[in-house]
Amino acid sequence: MEATHALASGTSSLLVWLIALPALGATILLLAGRRSDKWGHLLATALSGASFVVGLVELFKMLSRDGETRGVSQHLFTWINAGSFNVEAGLLLDQLSICFVLLITGVGTLIHVYSIAYMEHDHDRRRFFSYLNLFIAAMLLLVLGDSFLNLYVGWEGVGLASYLLIGFWNQKPAYATAAKKAFVVNRIGDMGLSFAIMIAFTAFGTVSFQGVANHAGPEHKQIMTWMGLALLLAAAGKSAQFPLQSWLGDAMAGPTPVSALIHAATMVTAGVYLITRSNFVFDSAPTAQLMVVIVGVVTLLFGALIGTAKDDIKKALAASTMSQIGYMVLAAGLGPAGYAFAIMHLLTHGFFKASMFLGAGSVMHGMNDEVDMRKFGRLRLAMPITYITFGLGYLAIIGVPPFSGFFSKDKIIEAAFNAGGPRGWIIGFAALLGAAITAFYMTRVMVLTFFGQKRWADEAHPHESPKLMTAPIIILSIGSIAAGALFAFGSSLQHWLEPVVARGFVEGEPALQPIVVSIMALVAVALGVALAYIKYVRVPVEAVAPTNVSIWTRFARRDLLQDAFNEAVFMRPGQYLTRALSFFDRKVVDGAVNGTGALFGGLSVRVRRVQTGYVRTYALLILVGAALILAAMLAARI
Amino acid sequence: MSPNNYLVLSALLFSIGAIGVVLRRNAIVVFMCVELMLNAANLAFVTFARLLGNLDGQVVAFFTMVVAACEVVVGLAIIVTIFRSRRSASVDDANLLKY
C-alpha cells in the first residue's frame, strides 16, 4: 500500500507562480483602490491569463514525463512546527490537480474577459475583478495544497470570495442576505473538514495527503469511516449537496459571471475534488462510500425536480448545477470505478454549464436584466450567437451524442449500474430518471427562452451582446462540443488519472453492456424532451406563472420546502434557544450581579446617615461603644 | 493603703469629662473636658503604680502628659483657624464633613 501511494516524485519551482500571479492581482487592485479603475480589469485578466499559461507549461512538462513520475511538488516553508505536530506549506501538482488548474485558470480567464464587457457600466468593476482574482488564487491553492490543512486555507479562501461576490451588489438587502446564507451554510460544511483534519491528526499524527494515505487500509476502517463522513459533510457544504444544498439557488444573486465561474464551473465542484483527492480514505471505508452515493443520488433527483419548476433562468440553471454535481458525487462514491468519470463529468460540466450561464448573462444583458423566462420567448432571432451557443450547451447537458455530456454522463450511469447487486440497479435507474428529468427541464429552459411567442416587456429591446462577451461563450461551447469525446476517446482521461485515483484497479464484468446503457439513456432523454415538447411547445406559455398548479409544482417552486424545513428544524429552535439563553443571561446571571450591587448600594445609602458631621455624636458613639466593650469584658469575667 | 478613694475620684473626673465632651458645644470647653479625662486616666495609672509597687504606671502617666501637650498644640491651632474663618468656636457649626 505504502509504495503505491507516492503522490509526487519530482519538484517544480513554477507552481507557486500559479497562485502568486492572481493573488498579486487581487492585492494590487484592492490596495490601489480607485486609482486602478481605468486599468484594473485589464491587469486582473492578464494575470489570470498568465496563470493559465503557467498551467499550460506545467502540463507540457508533465506530458514529457511518464506514468508514476508525473506528479511534482514544491516545498514552500514550514508552516507549523510544534512538537510532534508539523505542517509544511507545500504544493502538489499531479494528474488530478492539473485538470483543475487548467479548468480554473482557463474558464476563469474567459470569464474575466466576459466580465470586462458585462460589468462595464458598474462603477465598482475594479473591486469585482479583484475579488475574481482572489477567487482564482484561493481555488488554485485549494487544488494545489499537498495536505488537508493547506487545502483548508484555499477552501476558506474560495468561501470568502464566494461570499464577497454573491453579495457584490449588497446595496440590495435580499442579495446581502443571500451572501450571508451561503456563508453560514458553508461554515457547517467547513466544520466537517476541520473535524476530518482533527481526526487525521489525532489518529495518524499527520495531515498531509501522503501521510494519511500511508495509513489507508482495512486496519483503520473505523477511523477512515469517520473521516470519510466528515469529508462528505465538507463536500456537501461546498458543493451544495443534500442536506446542505439550500444556499446555491440564492447564490444566483451575484453577478452572472460569478454564477458561471464559482457557482457552476469551479468552486461548487471543490467537494468532488475533495472526495476524489481523499480516495484513499473512502476506499478504506465502504460505509462512507455508500453515504456518498446516497447523497449524490438524492441530490441529483432533488436538483432536477427543483429545476422543473423554476421560472428564473439562473435559478433553473443553479438547480441543474446541483443535480449535475449530484452525478459527480455519485460517481465519486463508486470508488476507483467512478473517480475518473466524476472528474470527466466535472470538466465537461465546467465547459457547458459555464457557457450556458454566460449565455443566460448575455440574454439578461439584452433584456434589461430580466431573469423571468416567461418574459423571454423567441429570442433566437434577436440573439443568434447566444442562441446557438446556449443550444450547444443544452445538447451537451441533456447528453445527446456526440456532445460532451453524452460521454461523461453515460459513463456515470454505466458505472452506477455496474456497482453490483440491487444497489447497482437502484442507483442506475435513479441516474436514468435524473437524465430524463434533466432533458425535460433543460428543454423547458430552451423553449421558454428562445422559442415560442414574444412575451417581452414593452421597453425591452433584445440585442446581441458585444464581441467581448460572445467570444468567451463561443470558446466554451467549443469545449462543450469536443471535451467529452476528447476525454472519452480511448479512455484517455481514465488512464491519465489512473496513477492518482485508481492504482491497480481492474474493471469487473459489466452488469449491462455499454451500448444498452447508452440506448436506455437516450430513450430517457427522448422521453424528457417529448414531455417538455407537449407541455411547452404545443401549449402556448403564459407570461405570468399560473397559480392553479398541482401541489407538486408548488413544492418544486418552493425548492421542495428546503428553506421551510431548515427554518422549522434548525433556525426556529436555534432562535428559541438563543432567546432562552439571553433571557437566562439577562435575568439570572445579570440579575445576580446587579442584585448584589443594588443591595450594597441601597444598604450604604442608609448606613451613611450615621455620618452626621457632629463631632459630639461621634464622641457619644465612641463612649457608648467603649462602655459596651467594657461591659462585655466584665460580663465574660464573671 | 486602699486605692478606692483614688479610683472613685478618677471615675468621677472621667465621667465629668466625658459628659462635658458630649454635652458642651464650645470647642475650648470640650478640649478642657478631654484634658480632664486624660488626667483621670493618669490618676488611675499612678494609683495602680503605687498599689503594685512598680513604676510602669508612672511612666505611662508621663507619656499621657506628653500626648496631651501635643494634642493641645495641634487642637488649639485648629480651633483658632476655624474661629478665624467661621467666627465661631462651636463644634456643632463645624459639621460640613458628613454624608
Side-chain angles (χ1 to χ4, degrees), chain A residues 9 44 61 110 128 134 157 220 277 325 355 366 389 397 403 405 422 449 456 480 493 594 627:
Chain A
S9 39
K61 277 160 73 181
L110 289 175
F128 180 80
L134 172 69
H220 289 122
R277 174 57 81 195
I325 297 173
S355 97
T389 52
I397 192 174
F403 297 99
T449 307
W456 310 337
S480 49
L493 188 74
N594 292 343

Side-chain angles (χ1 to χ4, degrees), chain A residues 82-261:
Chain A
S84 61
F85 187 49
N86 200 335
V87 181
E88 304 289 331
L91 302 178
L92 165 74
L93 185 80
D94 60 9
Q95 292 92 326
L96 176 61
S97 359
I98 191 78
C99 296
F100 276 86
V101 166
L102 293 176
L103 177 76
I104 295 158
T105 53
V107 175
T109 306
L110 289 175
I111 287 174
H112 272 80
V113 173
Y114 178 93
S115 309
I116 293 176
Y118 189 85
M119 301 295 286
E120 195 173 0
H121 303 298
D122 197 300
H123 71 285
D124 268 338
R125 177 166 68 167
R126 170 200 48 90
R127 190 161 59 89
F128 180 80
F129 273 86
S130 68
Y131 292 164
L132 275 188
N133 262 210
L134 172 69
F135 169 76
I136 302 268
M139 189 73 200
L140 286 170
L141 180 59
L142 193 163
V143 299
L144 287 172
D146 71 346
S147 76
F148 284 104
L149 210 55
N150 290 349
L151 180 145
Y152 193 63
V153 178
W155 189 269
E156 292 299 315
V158 293
L160 170 69
S162 158
Y163 168 77
L164 291 172
L165 286 165
I166 295 171
F168 185 71
W169 290 317
N170 57 12
Q171 63 270 29
K172 294 189 184 167
Y175 291 5
T177 311
K180 202 160 69 181
K181 183 176 179 184
F183 199 73
V184 169
V185 177
N186 264 295
R187 285 286 81 62
I188 299 172
D190 295 348
M191 258 167 28
L193 187 52
S194 52
F195 284 146
I197 295 172
M198 289 181 226
I199 293 171
F201 175 62
T202 336
F204 310 127
T206 174
V207 293
S208 73
F209 296 135
Q210 183 70 65
V212 178
N214 286 342
H215 290 91
E219 67 273 18
H220 289 122
K221 192 171 163 188
Q222 203 179 0
I223 294 165
M224 289 303 187
T225 305
W226 284 111
M227 202 174 152
L229 291 176
L231 289 172
L232 175 61
L233 180 66
K238 195 60 87 193
S239 293
Q241 296 295 293
F242 185 82
L244 298 177
Q245 78 290 5
S246 64
W247 64 273
L248 188 60
D250 292 308
M252 295 302 124
T256 311
V258 173
S259 309
L261 177 62

Side-chain angles (χ1 to χ4, degrees), chain A residues 608-616 618-620 623, chain B residues 18 21-25 91-92 94-95 97-99:
Chain A
R608 71 178 184 173
R609 292 281 163 191
V610 175
Q611 308 284 329
T612 57
Y614 292 109
V615 179
R616 296 188 300 143
Y618 303 154
L620 182 63
L623 191 67
Chain B
V21 167
V22 174
L23 294 184
R24 297 302 298 262
R25 290 198 180 83
V91 287
D92 282 5
N95 67 343
L97 192 65
K98 61 181 179 184
Y99 58 82

Side-chain angles (χ1 to χ4, degrees), chain A residues 147-446:
Chain A
S147 76
F148 284 104
L149 210 55
N150 290 349
L151 180 145
Y152 193 63
V153 178
W155 189 269
E156 292 299 315
V158 293
L160 170 69
S162 158
Y163 168 77
L164 291 172
L165 286 165
I166 295 171
F168 185 71
W169 290 317
N170 57 12
Q171 63 270 29
K172 294 189 184 167
Y175 291 5
T177 311
K180 202 160 69 181
K181 183 176 179 184
F183 199 73
V184 169
V185 177
N186 264 295
R187 285 286 81 62
I188 299 172
D190 295 348
M191 258 167 28
L193 187 52
S194 52
F195 284 146
I197 295 172
M198 289 181 226
I199 293 171
F201 175 62
T202 336
F204 310 127
T206 174
V207 293
S208 73
F209 296 135
Q210 183 70 65
V212 178
N214 286 342
H215 290 91
E219 67 273 18
H220 289 122
K221 192 171 163 188
Q222 203 179 0
I223 294 165
M224 289 303 187
T225 305
W226 284 111
M227 202 174 152
L229 291 176
L231 289 172
L232 175 61
L233 180 66
K238 195 60 87 193
S239 293
Q241 296 295 293
F242 185 82
L244 298 177
Q245 78 290 5
S246 64
W247 64 273
L248 188 60
D250 292 308
M252 295 302 124
T256 311
V258 173
S259 309
L261 177 62
I262 302 185
H263 306 118
T266 54
M267 186 195 81
V268 286
T269 58
V272 181
Y273 171 78
L274 181 68
I275 295 175
T276 311
R277 174 57 81 195
S278 320
N279 56 74
F280 43 83
V281 174
F282 287 94
D283 290 347
S284 324
T287 318
Q289 253 180 346
L290 178 63
M291 287 306 294
V292 175
V293 170
I294 292 172
V295 166
V297 170
V298 170
T299 314
L300 85 85
L301 294 175
F302 201 104
L305 287 176
I306 292 174
T308 57
K310 288 288 175 191
D311 288 332
D312 179 327
I313 186 168
K314 284 179 75 184
K315 291 203 169 163
L317 288 176
S320 147
T321 304
M322 196 193 290
S323 165
Q324 296 302 312
I325 297 173
Y327 273 105
M328 299 168 207
V329 170
L330 160 64
L334 294 172
Y339 291 130
F341 303 137
I343 299 303
M344 183 154 115
H345 196 52
L346 194 159
L347 297 175
T348 57
H349 175 260
F351 286 117
F352 61 67
K353 189 51 74 59
S355 97
M356 289 170 87
F357 258 114
L358 294 186
S362 167
V363 169
M364 286 163 61
H365 196 71
M367 295 288 287
N368 296 333
D369 285 331
E370 178 65 61
V371 288
D372 188 351
M373 290 188 288
R374 291 185 183 273
K375 303 239 164 42
F376 291 165
R378 215 175 187 78
L379 286 177
R380 68 179 190 278
L381 302 176
M383 310 178 169
I385 300 178
T386 308
Y387 160 65
I388 292 171
T389 52
F390 199 92
L392 292 171
Y394 159 74
L395 292 173
I397 192 174
I398 66 172
V400 171
F403 297 99
S404 60
F406 166 75
F407 295 99
S408 53
K409 200 189 286 179
D410 246 31
K411 285 289 183 190
I412 294 179
I413 299 174
E414 206 179 292
F417 275 114
N418 290 347
R423 185 202 290 188
W425 291 102
I426 293 170
I427 56 178
F429 278 110
L432 270 185
L433 180 64
I437 306 175
T438 305
F440 172 79
Y441 70 75
M442 285 316 301
T443 311
R444 177 174 175 272
V445 169
M446 195 70 196

Side-chain angles (χ1 to χ4, degrees), chain A residues 508-519:
Chain A
E509 192 61 31
L512 287 171
Q513 286 305 313
I515 185 74
V516 179
V517 176
S518 293
I519 290 169

